[in-house]
Structures are given as C-alpha cells and as structure tokens.
Amino acid sequence: MPHPQGPVRGGPVRGGPGRGGGELSAPRLRGGSPERAGLDPEELRRLVQEVRDLTAGDRPWASGAVVVAGRGPVLAVAEAAGWAVRYVAHDPHTGEGVELPAHARVPMTVDTPFDLASLTKLFTSVAAVQQIERGTLGIDARVGAYLPEFHAAARHDLTVRHLLTHTSGLRPELPLYDCADDTERLALLRAEEPAGAPGTYRYSDLNMLLLQHVLERVTGRPLDVLVRDGITRPLGMTSTRFGPCPGAAATEDQRRPWAKADRGMLRGQVHDENAWALGGVAGHAGLFATAPDLAVFCRALLTGGSYGPARILGPDFVELLLTPPGLGFAMDQPWFMGELAGRGAAGHTGFTGTSLVLDRATDTFLVLLANTVHPRRRPPDSRPRAAAATRMARAVRTRPS
C-alpha cells in the first residue's frame, strides 16, 4: 500500500450505475495529505498498517479489507489490503478454508464493492426521514395507520419511531428463508407479535422490514427506487445499489448447519438469508457499495444533508436522524467506535464485516469494509473496528488547513 500521505489509490469510483442509471451529479471526494485535513500522519500510518495486518496470515480477521478516512472535504486515507476472493469453499472436516491457487485469487482494490449487510439500515432510515421531512410520514404515527393489515403491529400501537429506534419489542428476526413463497413470508411478518414491551430497546431486522413496507405504501415506490432516486443518484454514488453485484468481494460458503440455507460460495448475491428470500431488496440488508461511495454518504451527513449540488436532507432533519438515541444509526458505541464514541459519533456495523463511523464533533469519518465471513461466518469480533476508530480519534490534532 502507498503511504497515506501519497496519492490516494482508486480516485473517482468507476462502478456502473444502479438500477435505472443516472448521471453523476455530485463531485467525488478528493484525496489530500493528512496535514491538509488536520490529521496526524503517524496515526494514519499506523491505522493503515493495522488494517493490512488484519488480512495477513493463515487465519486472518478478514480475507481482505478497504479503509477510507477523512476530515472535512479531504479524503486522507484510501487503502486496500488482501483478497476480494481467496477461497473456493470451506472444509467442515478441517475447519479451514479451501484456498484458490494464487493466480486465481482476486485482489482487493479500493473500488471493490461489498455486501453492506446491516449498513443497508442506514439508507432505509434516511429514506424514512426524507418522507418525514416531506410530511408524508409521521414519526410518531402508528404503523397500523399505514398498514392496517399488519394486525399485530396495529394491535400493539407500534409507531414509526419504534421502528427507527429499535424499540418495537420485535424479536431480532423471523425464518422467512424457510417459507414456501412470498405470501407465506408476508403472512408471517403481518402476524408477528412483539416479544417485549414496546419502548424497550431490542435490535431487530424486523423493524426495518416493517419500515420498508410503510415507505412503499406511503410513496407507491419500491425501496430500491427510493434509495436510488433519493440518496445514491443525487450524491453520485454510482457503485451503490441493491444486488446482484458482479465483482463484489466474496462472502460465505453458505451451507447448513452453520448457515440457514444451502447456497454455496457467494459473490455478488446478498449474504443475508432473509434478504435473499425476499428477492435481494430488503430494509435491513441487500445493498452493495464501495468504500469511496460510503465516504460521500458520510460527508453528506456531516455537512447537514448536502454535498456538492445535491441535498438529500435539510439540516434539521439530519439533526433528527443523529440526535441520540439515533434513528437507524447507533450512537456513541465504544464496542465498534473506540475512542470516537462519547461525543456524538454515529454509525453502524454489518454482519459481513462492514462498518462506518462519522463524528460531527471533529468533522471526521471512517469506513472499514471487510469480508470477515469469507469463507464462513465466525463469532463476531469488533475489536479491530474499535482499534481503527481509536486511531482515527487520536489522529485529530489540529483544525484543517
């Protein structure tokens, strides 16, 4: 990898357009030195080296990783390490990945798309707040007012705020992947009763699935179109889209008993089994994106909802989105934000190895994308994410020049 003070690898993202296309309407973030951004170059060198180390050895934290980080309008780090595709399968007898020969492996690049997994929730949340800003959705309105056929949600007076703050009481997920068809999946979701009292925090994919149905009902448009037209196209995020996404970093050799479906080695197809069962477009998972695209997304939120000529939210509604406890965004969580937590930092993680953090107090952002589930899922370990965020926090030393 080049030195963080040198030219940023990758430059403008060259991925293809999302569904429906669209012209690039916002400028790309430009690379610059750490000093120009008011960041300590030594801390950023250590950040880059530690990300490199995460992909090294026989049992790495991730097969490959990409890290981008910046402050203000300056992209000070954009680095890739390891492999987008390293394994052909997982061998359950040895517990090891079956490696591809060296010539057949695919190296990671800054422009490699990743399955974002639960980072998709952030885009669903922004799409919801856009409708709140427009007056078509009430944050404290009852879900049943929009979806009367969702009888359980209506009976328990679940609100849009409950969904956005994970306080609906719904359990983490449902086995939609085991249903025979979409009719059965929808019936299961409509009948799902909260497992706990509404108002109590319990992280759940079901919140974003219900929110997806609410958004599609009030707008008459599917979620992928809402995300494309309202967020990714205006911001020029041309490599961000719902799958399939050929060329993405590989994820898992998905087989039972460690997974919930038998699908083989996945690359460019959504990893989450429920999102897959729902056709790849879901409120909780399904988006693919590159790290430079996510840097633009972070920058737009840090600047109050605008980036270049594009405006996706007004400043008051970004404030609503990011005021604790956060709407869709996790706030001040040291377990993956490290020392960036504690002053209003916002972000999220994804099961496939993805994460982002933005810190309005210092105008900084950090995106770390990795394929930690390649060749198979393991117990989650967010210590490397927290360590990277701590490096970023310690790099903030002066005002940007």
Side-chain angles (χ1 to χ4, degrees):
M1 292 183 211
H3 193 287
Q5 296 184 72
V8 175
R9 282 202 292 150
V13 178
R14 295 178 293 276
R19 295 183 184 182
E23 295 299 320
L24 184 72
S25 58
R28 309 304 295 173
L29 279 171
R30 297 296 181 183
S33 69
E35 290 87 351
R36 183 183 172 202
L39 296 170
D40 186 323
E42 182 57 33
E43 288 293 347
L44 294 189
R45 277 194 292 271
R46 291 173 181 167
L47 167 61
V48 168
Q49 185 57 55
E50 288 166 4
V51 170
R52 256 193 218 164
D53 293 344
L54 294 173
T55 68
D58 294 333
R59 287 193 167 208
W61 180 70
S63 170
V66 177
V67 59
V68 301
R71 189 180 189 191
V74 180
L75 188 64
V77 172
E79 299 287 342
W83 305 98
V85 185
R86 176 173 174 174
Y87 304 96
V88 67
H90 170 74
D91 186 341
H93 301 292
T94 64
E96 302 288 340
V98 180
E99 292 192 301
L100 288 161
H103 72 273
R105 297 179 191 175
V106 179
M108 193 71 77
T109 73
V110 170
D111 289 337
T112 298
F114 283 77
D115 180 339
L116 296 186
S118 284
L119 293 194
T120 303
K121 294 181 172 75
L122 303 184
F123 290 81
T124 304
S125 299
V126 170
V129 175
Q130 287 177 330
Q131 297 307 314
I132 293 169
E133 181 177 18
R134 291 167 190 165
T136 56
L137 184 66
I139 190 169
D140 290 310
R142 295 170 61 247
V143 172
Y146 303 109
L147 303 171
E149 70 276 22
F150 280 63
H151 304 296
R155 186 162 52 250
H156 290 272
D157 292 329
L158 299 189
T159 68
V160 171
R161 190 186 296 272
H162 285 142
L163 303 183
L164 281 164
T165 57
H166 293 284
T167 55
S168 66
L170 292 167
R171 57 175 155 160
E173 67 171 9
L174 285 169
L176 304 178
Y177 46 82
D178 280 339
C179 294
D181 53 32
D182 287 344
T183 300
E184 187 177 335
R185 293 182 191 100
L186 187 57
L188 200 62
L189 193 58
R190 287 174 173 173
E192 180 64 12
E193 302 271 351
T200 303
Y201 179 84
R202 187 180 194 186
Y203 182 82
S204 172
D205 290 348
L206 304 185
N207 290 314
M208 293 298 159
L209 285 176
L210 260 65
L211 189 59
Q212 175 185 0
H213 282 279
V214 169
L215 289 172
E216 293 180 343
R217 179 66 55 84
V218 300
T219 66
R221 293 187 291 167
L223 180 65
D224 57 339
V225 173
L226 292 173
V227 169
R228 182 198 69 202
D229 291 351
I231 305 171
T232 61
R233 179 187 281 173
L235 295 179
M237 298 171 62
T238 56
S239 294
T240 303
R241 61 188 182 273
F242 284 92
C245 182
T251 54
E252 187 176 30
D253 180 8
Q254 199 169 88
R255 286 184 275 159
R256 291 180 171 96
W258 59 83
K260 302 162 190 171
D262 294 299
R263 300 168 63 201
M265 184 60 75
L266 301 177
R267 186 186 185 198
Q269 300 289 331
V270 63
H271 174 269
D272 183 89
E273 292 94 340
N274 274 344
W276 163 68
L278 293 166
V281 177
H284 71 290
L287 271 178
F288 289 77
T290 62
D293 265 19
L294 292 178
V296 170
F297 179 67
C298 290
R299 189 70 198 134
L301 295 174
L302 286 169
T303 56
S306 298
Y307 181 71
R311 174 188 176 279
I312 61 169
L313 280 175
D316 289 347
F317 290 90
V318 173
E319 189 69 27
L320 176 66
L321 189 74
L322 300 181
T323 295
L327 303 182
F329 285 76
M331 305 296 298
D332 289 328
Q333 297 296 312
W335 63 274
F336 79 93
M337 297 180 183
E339 291 180 9
L340 281 177
R343 53 196 180 194
H348 215 286
T349 66
F351 186 78
T352 52
T354 58
S355 61
L356 67 81
V357 184
L358 54 97
D359 179 23
R360 293 189 291 170
T362 57
D363 200 22
T364 57
F365 63 87
L366 171 71
V367 177
L368 177 59
L369 304 182
N371 52 351
T372 58
V373 297
H374 184 55
R376 67 157 287 185
R377 67 189 69 189
R378 295 171 290 178
D381 178 8
S382 278
R383 288 174 296 178
R385 292 165 168 155
T390 292
R391 286 289 178 210
M392 191 65 190
R394 293 176 181 178
V396 178
R397 60 176 187 171
T398 62
R399 292 181 63 84
S401 62

